[in-house]
Amino acid sequence: MEIRLIATQIGDRLKYDTSVNEINRVGQSILKVRKESFANDSITSVRAQEVYNWIMTLGKTSLTKEERNKRLVKFCMELAPDEQKGSISEFLIANGCDYNAVNKDHLNEFYSRNYHPEIIRHSKKLFLQQNYFHSVFESAKAFNYSVKQKAQSDKDGQDLMMSAFSLNGVLKLNFGMTETERNVQDGVKFLSGGLMRAVRNPTAHEPALDWPINKQECLDFLSMISFLFHQLDKSIYYNG
């Protein structure tokens, strides 16, 4: 693992997105080492130097490779804003950090939900990067697109869901002959419309910092969208 390069580059990438106090707080709580100082004439930012010192200290501490990787990834991901998590994780992997091994438990938690294949396709990578906001957003967008295609509709978002899954809509979940069947149809309509109103619309218009989504919320949101994808799979297009 190219620890010196990682220490220099991570510090440079994060110097505008955090504070010295935050760097030291995260370093103490996650890296669990006694920080030392390391001279580097190419670093001119105090915050970049602090990140460099923490990572270099971790690099010289006697730990197993797996434990060092685990602490390094958690440190970097905790400091990184959502829009940088993806590029930083790719950088760590490219420079010898076994990111997938570190995130083994994270991945198991994701797969334990038995998500619809579309959720896995659109959200797994973002979830592993701890980019929970965009993991949910991409799955909500994918569901909207799939409904739009199957309903052959020009509508979008909440209007699309309320139209396509209505009792008079083109996506039929059942025959609609009994009160129970009609309630099921209405239920999926309102859940789908609610998803668009509660998730897709806010995430499309709000910065991630203004509406943070934690891991548990992300898993729960994805479970809801997965359920709706399965309902969409069962639906029949009928424009009678």
Side-chain angles (χ1 to χ4, degrees), residues 4-54:
R4 186 179 298 275
L5 175 62
I6 289 173
T8 303
Q9 290 293 316
I10 293 296
D12 188 62
R13 291 177 184 221
L14 298 180
K15 63 186 178 184
Y16 297 118
D17 298 300
T18 187
S19 66
V20 170
N21 287 340
E22 180 68 2
I23 293 166
N24 287 326
R25 182 192 68 79
V26 174
Q28 291 166 4
S29 63
I30 292 177
L31 298 186
K32 300 175 183 178
V33 296
R34 188 182 295 275
K35 184 185 65 176
E36 300 180 28
S37 296
F38 297 83
N40 188 326
D41 294 337
S42 68
I43 298 177
T44 57
S45 163
V46 173
R47 285 170 289 185
Q49 181 67 52
E50 285 298 285
V51 171
Y52 182 82
N53 289 339
W54 279 110

Side-chain angles (χ1 to χ4, degrees), residues 153-173:
S153 174
D154 294 328
K155 295 182 179 181
D156 193 60
Q158 186 180 24
D159 287 345
L160 168 66
M161 303 304 162
M162 300 302 282
S163 172
F165 287 112
S166 73
L167 295 176
N168 297 319
V170 296
L171 298 183
K172 306 295 187 183
L173 295 166

Side-chain angles (χ1 to χ4, degrees), residues 64-82:
T64 64
K65 180 180 178 181
E66 182 177 358
E67 182 61 26
R68 183 176 289 107
N69 278 349
K70 180 178 179 180
R71 296 187 193 184
L72 175 60
V73 170
K74 286 188 68 176
F75 175 74
C76 295
M77 291 299 107
E78 182 68 21
L79 291 177
D82 278 350

Side-chain angles (χ1 to χ4, degrees), residues 117-225:
E118 288 297 298
I119 299 292
I120 295 172
R121 186 160 76 93
H122 291 281
S123 294
K124 185 181 79 170
K125 182 178 179 180
L126 291 164
F127 181 82
L128 289 179
Q129 293 168 357
Q130 301 177 41
N131 193 341
Y132 304 129
F133 179 91
H134 287 99
S135 180
V136 171
F137 182 37
E138 290 302 313
S139 283
K141 283 202 305 183
F143 179 70
N144 181 79
Y145 178 79
S146 296
V147 173
K148 194 179 183 78
Q149 292 296 107
K150 191 166 187 176
Q152 301 176 31
S153 174
D154 294 328
K155 295 182 179 181
D156 193 60
Q158 186 180 24
D159 287 345
L160 168 66
M161 303 304 162
M162 300 302 282
S163 172
F165 287 112
S166 73
L167 295 176
N168 297 319
V170 296
L171 298 183
K172 306 295 187 183
L173 295 166
N174 50 57
F175 291 107
M177 301 297 292
T178 67
E179 184 177 359
T180 296
E181 288 179 334
R182 291 190 291 271
N183 286 341
V184 168
Q185 185 78 37
D186 263 347
V188 171
K189 175 187 71 176
F190 286 120
L191 283 174
S192 301
L195 171 69
M196 295 296 107
R197 190 172 181 86
V199 176
R200 182 177 175 271
N201 290 348
T203 50
H205 298 105
E206 297 294 332
L209 288 176
D210 291 344
W211 192 41
I213 295 176
N214 63 36
K215 182 175 73 171
Q216 186 60 50
E217 290 168 339
C218 175
L219 289 167
D220 291 343
F221 271 132
L222 294 180
S223 289
M224 176 186 176
I225 303 170

